């Protein structure tokens, strides 16, 4: 395939699905919301990807009052990080238990619980169905696996009440039900690795762009955005536009996040390159006037080819960037 070369002043990166892969943890969190609301997790996950949590929660949880929304977003995004960290924490707990057993100390290890995930009082702690990296097959959803585990732990007529707030009063022993839910959650967390990873080519791309010439504009709020980047070794740049930035009037697919990021860098968005992975993000980049490079890291190529991106590549390894000139006149030369 023939390559194309062009020049730009700066780069505007989306985060999740573009720089980092936390899709399994994000799907787990939105799958939790879907299960609580009695909706199909796959449908909710597809509808929420690439959009701000505040917009998604306002749509799916309209009972959340305006003055409660910031706290709700923070709790939801913390639940994403909790899902991402759960596998590692379970491994550490197993190791600690093993060491305690071998030493004969008899010390117990604190039980891992989804305390910061959404609970019955307005939040949740369940997931969805990420792809198994070893087989490429779609795993059964978390709700399915959790239901199966609870079916063997709870009386048959009480299993539904775990997911349906209106039937909670039917539980004979609330404490026992909570303990069984927590145990099932632990079993799930112990079995599925939803850790956040840096995506291919990202490290090299960031390293070849001078400071002050790139920004991040994400649909994640600050808790999630900074938490995800730091977990994979990416230092959030000085210009990191998150969904809870009060200067934003609208999130993706509106161009506002990219326009604000470009302005904060001191460049015209039309002279910037946007890296994006989601349909809504690609449309936002196109609407900003930037040159958009779509990466097929979270969606099939067929799902994003019609969104208006100027280039569609498998990942950032297919894009080369070098600098040309110095100082304010420096340009970034891209080859796709």
């Amino acid at each position: 395939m023939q390559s194309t070369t062009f020049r730009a002043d700066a780069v505007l990166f989306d985060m999740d699905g573009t720089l980092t892969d936390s899709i399994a943890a994000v799907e787990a969190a939105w799958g939790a919301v879907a299960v609580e609301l009695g909706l199909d997790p796959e449908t909710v996950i597809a509808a929420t990807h690439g959009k701000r949590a505040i917009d998604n929660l306002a749509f799916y949880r309209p009972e959340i009052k305006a003055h409660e929304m910031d706290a709700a977003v923070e709790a939801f995004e913390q639940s994403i990080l909790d899902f991402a960290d759960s596998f590692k924490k379970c491994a550490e707990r197993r190791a600690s238990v093993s060491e305690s057993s071998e030493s004969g100390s008899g010390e117990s290890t604190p039980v891992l619980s989804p305390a910061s995930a959404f609970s019955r009082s307005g939040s949740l702690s369940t997931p969805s169905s990420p792809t198994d990296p070893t087989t490429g097959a779609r795993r059964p959803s978390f709700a399915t696996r959790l239901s199966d585990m609870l079916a063997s732990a709870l009386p048959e007529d009480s299993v539904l009440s775990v997911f349906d707030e209106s039937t909670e009063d039917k539980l004979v022993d609330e404490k026992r039900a909570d303990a069984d839910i927590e145990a099932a959650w632990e079993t799930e967390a112990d079995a599925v690795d939803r850790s956040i990873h840096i995506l291919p080519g990202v490290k090299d791309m960031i390293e070849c762009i001078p400071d002050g010439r790139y920004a991040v504009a994400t649909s994640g709020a600050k808790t999630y955005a900074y938490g995800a980047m730091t977990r994979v070794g990416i230092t959030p740049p000085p210009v990191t536009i998150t969904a809870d930035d009060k200067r934003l009037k609208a999130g993706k697919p509106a161009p506002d996040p990219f326009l604000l990021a470009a302005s904060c860098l001191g460049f015209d968005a039309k002279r910037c390159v946007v890296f994006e992975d989601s349909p809504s993000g690609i449309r936002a980049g196109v609407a900003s006037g930037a040159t958009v490079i779509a990466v097929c890291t979270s969606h099939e190529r067929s799902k994003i080819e019609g969104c208006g991106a100027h280039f569609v590549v498998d990942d950032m390894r297919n894009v080369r960037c070098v600098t040309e000139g110095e100082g304010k006149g420096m340009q970034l030369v891209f080859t796709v």
Side-chain angles (χ1 to χ4, degrees), residues 178-196:
D178 287 343
D180 287 330
I181 294 171
E182 185 171 275
W185 190 92
E186 274 201 274
T187 301
E188 163 68 13
D190 200 19
V192 181
D193 186 358
R194 297 188 178 89
S195 302
I196 301 173

Side-chain angles (χ1 to χ4, degrees), residues 146-317:
L146 184 55
S147 296
D148 290 344
M149 285 184 274
L150 287 174
S152 63
L154 291 174
E156 183 175 347
D157 61 355
S158 68
V159 173
L160 263 183
S161 64
V162 174
F163 299 104
D164 187 350
E165 186 173 356
S166 66
T167 61
E168 284 185 341
D169 55 354
K170 296 180 182 179
L171 288 173
V172 177
D173 188 342
E174 182 76 19
K175 290 184 178 180
R176 177 192 170 197
D178 287 343
D180 287 330
I181 294 171
E182 185 171 275
W185 190 92
E186 274 201 274
T187 301
E188 163 68 13
D190 200 19
V192 181
D193 186 358
R194 297 188 178 89
S195 302
I196 301 173
H197 303 283
I198 191 167
L199 284 164
V202 169
K203 184 174 182 292
D204 290 341
M205 180 61 67
I206 290 177
E207 287 180 350
C208 73
I209 303 173
D211 292 342
R213 291 296 185 119
Y214 68 94
V216 170
T218 174
S219 294
K222 190 172 184 177
T223 297
Y224 166 49
Y226 280 70
M229 284 189 278
T230 55
R231 276 166 172 75
V232 300
I234 296 174
T235 300
V239 178
T240 296
I241 306 301
T242 56
D244 46 356
D245 192 311
K246 300 305 181 184
R247 294 171 293 180
L248 291 174
K249 294 183 179 179
K252 303 172 187 176
D256 301 40
F258 291 125
L259 292 173
L260 178 58
S263 176
C264 290
L265 286 176
F267 298 103
D268 187 336
K270 294 182 176 63
R271 291 286 306 159
C272 292
V273 171
V274 163
F275 281 94
E276 260 287 359
D277 72 298
S278 71
S280 64
I282 293 168
R283 293 187 179 99
V286 172
S288 75
T291 298
V292 179
I293 301 177
V295 289
C296 302
T297 45
S298 66
H299 290 73
E300 296 177 1
R301 183 177 290 263
S302 61
K303 300 292 186 182
I304 60 178
E305 281 185 326
C307 297
H310 300 83
F311 303 95
V312 180
V313 299
D314 290 338
D315 55 53
M316 287 192 202
R317 291 175 296 185

Side-chain angles (χ1 to χ4, degrees), residues 32 75 88 253:
K88 180 180 178 181

Side-chain angles (χ1 to χ4, degrees), residues 28-37 61 75-76 79 83 114-126 162-163 185:
W30 283 119
V33 174
V35 169
E36 184 183 31
L37 298 177
R61 299 291 302 274
F76 172 77
S79 77
F83 277 119
S116 61
F118 273 2
S119 67
R120 290 182 206 151
S121 61
S123 9
L124 264 180
S125 62
T126 37
V162 174
F163 299 104
W185 190 92

